[in-house]
Amino acid sequence: MAEPFGLASGTLALATLAFQSSVSLYETVNSFHPHPKRVRALLGELEALSTALASLVDRVKSTSDVGHSVLDLPLLRCDNACKKFRQEVTQCTSRLNSNRASFRDWATLTYMGDKIDDFCDLLAGYKATINTALTDATLRQSTVTVESTGKYEDLIHDAKDDLGAQISAARMGNQPVIELLQAEVDENDQSFFRVLVDGLSIKYITVEPDIYSTEDMCFGPSLVSVLPTFPIGDWNDGLVAKNPNDGKPFFARVCLAPFPGVQNTWHEIYVDYLDLSIGRKLRTGIYEAKSSLSDDIIVVKFARFPWEVQYIENETTAYQWISGHNIGPQFLGHLTENGRVIGFLMERITDARHASAEDIEVCREVLSRLHNLGVRHGDTNRFNFLIRDSKATLIDFDTAQKCDDRDSLLQESEELSACLKDMSGRGGGGLL
Ligand SMILES: *[C@@H]1O[C@H](CO)[C@@H](O)[C@H](O)[C@H]1NC(C)=O
């Protein structure tokens, strides 16, 4: 089955190799008996991965499109990971020198217990990456405008499952694992990235214009593959520029910057970003998340970049004003990153919809509760009222201000009806 070595540089060859490795690992694991739960999970994951790889092979064969090259690195790693894992299973089996085959199999799989779980996560990551590429085959062709960056952020987010994959793959090769968390990409100006290194530290990277293509910067795995090697050391702020000597991108500067944090930390609970499991993106800088605070899914809102901290500061204070007044979602605590407060956690309002004109009564009610506290909301578009069980919850307080001018409050209240009728979509972008 040996492939001519030279072929391996093409995506088709890489996909084929990865496919073969995944099938051969499946066969090895499948030959073990019995199949405890985690082994069944592994077999299931391997089957799904092989299926994704087979579709990819078909797709690459049927198109002459060169756009799949973003997958080359993940494919190479996937192939390696399957081979190494298979090697490990076989070695482990032969070390356990027993005549009773079933005992040997059982002992091997028990010994490899946690590794099997990790490996399943790894496979799920590769599968997600491949499926993301398959569902958006146009990715590499499209011209990305700054306005549409949100879409790519979602994509980046969907590929987040790849993290486990990258961590394990990198552990094998000693590379730092870089996961793109948030991006603010500008075609003609500096671009900004928030990245997680080795699952442990968050760094902010500024990239000078005219170094990478917008599409490379918008897709996590491709950005990670083009960034220069990360300098080691305790830094959180880095600048990528063109090296004047050879024209190649390099880290022109890294430093440990004293980034600002929210000062008004009125709530007693603090949760660190790295202790959260971040889920679906709702709006820019707003995500569903799981934390150890509760079994329920919660919502986190945070400054993606240091210059957004001021907005979060104001909103944190607004939540302090309305706390206990049945106006907004419950504020659950402050969100920290490396000791500084960058955001907050709040209750997720489930099964809600956005307000429309007929909800005027309940919306006016909640707005008047806010006005009674002498606070003007400042952005009463219909997407900022969540309706559930004929009750309205106000959200998005980053423009809220203390206001002792009765007329100004009255005006906001009078304009409400027109705001709810405005179906232009302004202010929209998902619940919360
Ligand atoms: C925060 O609130 C202060 C005081 O109301 C206001 O002057 C400032 O412009 C607000 N900052 C932002 C970024 O909205």
Side-chain angles (χ1 to χ4, degrees):
M1 276 305 254
E3 288 280 334
F5 182 69
L7 258 186
S9 56
T11 304
L12 179 59
L14 287 171
T16 311
L17 282 177
F19 173 72
Q20 288 165 352
S21 304
S22 69
V23 170
S24 126
L25 177 58
Y26 179 92
E27 284 165 357
T28 305
V29 175
N30 197 34
S31 71
F32 279 49
H33 293 285
H35 290 171
K37 190 160 163 248
R38 55 163 43 120
V39 174
R40 287 201 303 276
L42 173 60
L43 288 170
E45 211 43 84
L46 275 167
E47 207 171 343
L49 174 69
S50 312
T51 308
L53 284 166
S55 321
L56 180 68
V57 169
D58 283 349
R59 174 73 67 84
V60 180
K61 269 188 188 155
S62 68
T63 52
S64 54
D65 150 26
V66 292
H68 292 288
S69 61
V70 63
L71 281 175
D72 287 1
L73 195 58
L75 285 172
L76 189 65
R77 286 176 167 169
C78 177
D79 177 47
N80 269 332
C82 287
K83 284 194 175 117
K84 287 212 163 128
F85 196 82
R86 184 161 170 270
Q87 209 175 11
E88 202 165 339
V89 173
T90 356
Q91 273 171 3
C92 184
T93 314
S94 55
R95 265 205 307 278
L96 292 158
N97 191 11
S98 159
N99 294 328
R100 283 172 52 211
S102 66
F103 167 78
R104 189 193 61 192
D105 290 356
W106 176 84
T108 302
L109 295 170
T110 305
Y111 165 75
M112 297 197 64
D114 286 344
K115 276 195 190 154
I116 293 180
D117 292 348
D118 288 350
F119 190 69
C120 271
D121 292 347
L122 169 81
L123 296 182
Y126 287 126
K127 186 188 64 190
T129 307
I130 292 161
N131 284 333
T132 304
L134 282 172
T135 44
D136 195 349
T138 55
L139 171 70
R140 305 276 298 180
Q141 279 89 9
S142 37
T143 327
V144 187
T145 59
V146 179
E147 292 77 44
S148 68
T149 314
K151 177 172 166 252
Y152 284 87
E153 258 193 69
D154 285 337
L155 214 93
I156 288 161
H157 202 75
D158 292 341
K160 186 177 156 40
D161 287 348
D162 191 31
L163 174 66
Q166 291 187 31
I167 289 192
S168 313
R171 275 196 199 124
M172 296 178 181
N174 275 336
Q175 311 261 6
V177 176
I178 300 153
E179 184 197 358
L180 177 57
L181 300 176
Q182 277 84 35
E184 183 87 35
V185 172
D186 194 317
E187 232 165 327
N188 306 308
D189 207 336
Q190 288 184 324
S191 296
F192 305 94
F193 304 93
R194 178 171 182 260
V195 302
L196 178 63
V197 180
D198 285 337
L200 291 172
S201 68
I202 288 174
K203 300 189 193 296
Y204 293 84
I205 312 237
T206 303
V207 173
E208 293 287 13
D210 300 325
I211 294 186
Y212 304 123
S213 73
T214 313
E215 49 195 351
D216 265 347
M217 292 193 286
C218 284
F219 188 54
S222 57
L223 174 74
V224 167
S225 70
V226 295
L227 281 176
T229 309
F230 275 39
I232 49 171
D234 190 16
W235 57 276
N236 60 3
D237 187 16
L239 175 71
V240 173
K242 254 190 202 147
N243 192 326
N245 300 323
D246 58 9
K248 293 207 176 106
F250 79 127
F251 275 92
R253 162 180 69 71
V254 293
C255 66
L256 193 57
F259 289 131
V262 169
Q263 298 302 306
N264 182 14
T265 50
W266 58 274
H267 201 276
E268 68 275 18
I269 289 177
Y270 293 76
V271 175
D272 192 77
Y273 183 89
L274 295 180
D275 293 333
L276 290 175
S277 140
I278 300 281
R280 196 161 62 103
K281 178 182 159 190
L282 300 173
R283 292 185 187 181
T284 302
I286 309 180
Y287 296 84
E288 289 182 343
K290 291 275 287 178
S291 89
S292 55
L293 282 186
S294 81
D295 291 336
D296 297 328
I297 294 176
I298 53 152
V299 171
V300 289
K301 181 165 184 177
F302 58 92
R304 299 168 308 150
F305 297 102
W307 57 87
E308 291 172 345
V309 166
Q310 194 54 51
Y311 294 94
I312 300 291
E313 177 84 55
N314 284 10
E315 191 161 8
T316 300
T317 301
Y319 271 99
Q320 184 181 24
W321 296 332
I322 65 169
S323 171
H325 291 277
N326 201 14
I327 293 171
Q330 202 189 339
F331 188 97
L332 301 173
H334 302 289
L335 181 69
T336 60
E337 176 197 286
N338 201 16
R340 70 190 175 102
V341 174
I342 61 164
F344 53 86
L345 294 77
M346 59 181 148
E347 164 197 14
R348 182 176 72 140
I349 310 290
T350 47
D351 303 321
R353 58 176 175 81
H354 298 298
S356 54
E358 66 268 20
D359 301 308
I360 181 76
E361 282 314 316
V362 283
C363 291
R364 189 164 275 151
E365 219 171 84
V366 70
L367 189 61
S368 74
R369 277 200 292 280
L370 183 70
H371 289 171
N372 288 341
L373 298 173
V375 179
R376 192 175 189 279
H377 185 274
D379 187 12
T380 51
N381 74 72
R382 66 184 199 89
F383 299 100
N384 285 339
F385 292 89
L386 300 184
I387 308 293
R388 177 180 59 179
D389 301 337
S390 53
K391 189 181 160 281
T393 304
L394 247 178
I395 56 166
D396 197 359
F397 294 89
D398 60 15
T399 54
Q401 299 243 338
K402 278 279 184 195
C403 172
D404 47 20
D405 175 3
R406 279 320 297 181
D407 290 343
S408 168
L409 295 177
L410 202 60
Q411 187 196 7
E412 184 169 65
S413 182
E414 278 167 356
E415 283 169 4
L416 183 59
S417 158
C419 287
L420 297 185
K421 282 188 190 125
D422 178 4
M423 300 304 275
S424 69
R426 191 193 65 85
L431 288 182
L432 280 156

